[in-house]
Amino acid sequence: MSRRKIIAGNWKMNETPTEAKALVELLKPLVNNPDVDVVYGVPAIDITTVVEAVKGTNVQVAAENMYFEEKGAYTGEISPAMLVDAGVKYVILGHSERRGYFHETSEEINKKILKCFEHGLTPIMCCGESLEQREQGITMDWIRQQVKVGFQHVTADQAKTAVIAYEPIWAIGTGKTATADQAEEVCKGIRDCIAEIYDTDTAEAIRIQYGGSMKAANCKELLAKPDIDGGLIGGASLKAEFAEIVNYNK
Ligand code: PEP
């Protein structure tokens, strides 16, 4: 089965609304690959600006987080319905920075993933090991656990539409990229895990990205691997280089 590539930027806590508009305008003439789904993951305050700015292009907008309740007394949180109403299509969930700095658990991420599906949002669930875990040889055990808990009660039909981002923590923002073989090994392991939870059809349909210092110079090799269906890009998504990654096959 041929899966459509999905290249998503994760802007993290960068770009004011004014800067966000300027970045979208900078990228607009450069980001044009009909073979690829392109997503800008942007801070909540930038969503309205970016949704407006990408109108007429094939770019979709992702939130970087979302709460799992419908509404109510959850000061500072953002609900699924708010994101849908604002024009968001994807939600990045369980990024290692949220798991690390904000102590998000796989159980909470699972509740958020289920809420995404209830509201027609597509989750991009991040998973990945620390350097210590890699050195201890427990990378795949750890990631399988993150995937199994993250996908609890998710149906096969829902899972088919989901995106998983494999992001080794030691490669995020460090300039240290996993080799294409290392990234492929884990992405294939994640696909095998999905096949165990569901079936091969679901495993063949779900899209698995690699993230961690992906840039123009290394994206071709990573994206050529059979189980790597795209990239989640931090640093390089904030500059014109992002377009080179989107246009990786040109
Ligand atoms: C990320 O934060 O998801 C990421 C992959 O960052 P970077 O590309 O900067 O390593």
Side-chain angles (χ1 to χ4, degrees), residues 73-113:
Y74 304 102
T75 304
E77 293 294 332
I78 295 185
S79 76
M82 290 171 186
L83 296 181
V84 170
D85 188 65
V88 164
K89 301 287 182 213
Y90 294 84
V91 188
I92 299 169
L93 290 171
H95 191 279
S96 59
E97 287 151 18
R98 295 219 57 85
R99 292 180 193 259
Y101 299 139
F102 305 104
H103 313 294
E104 273 190 28
T105 65
S106 286
E107 285 75 11
E108 286 164 339
I109 292 156
N110 172 241
K111 289 188 194 174
K112 294 180 179 190
I113 290 175

Side-chain angles (χ1 to χ4, degrees), residues 3 125 135 183 212:
R3 292 175 295 270
M125 190 198 83
E135 285 169 353

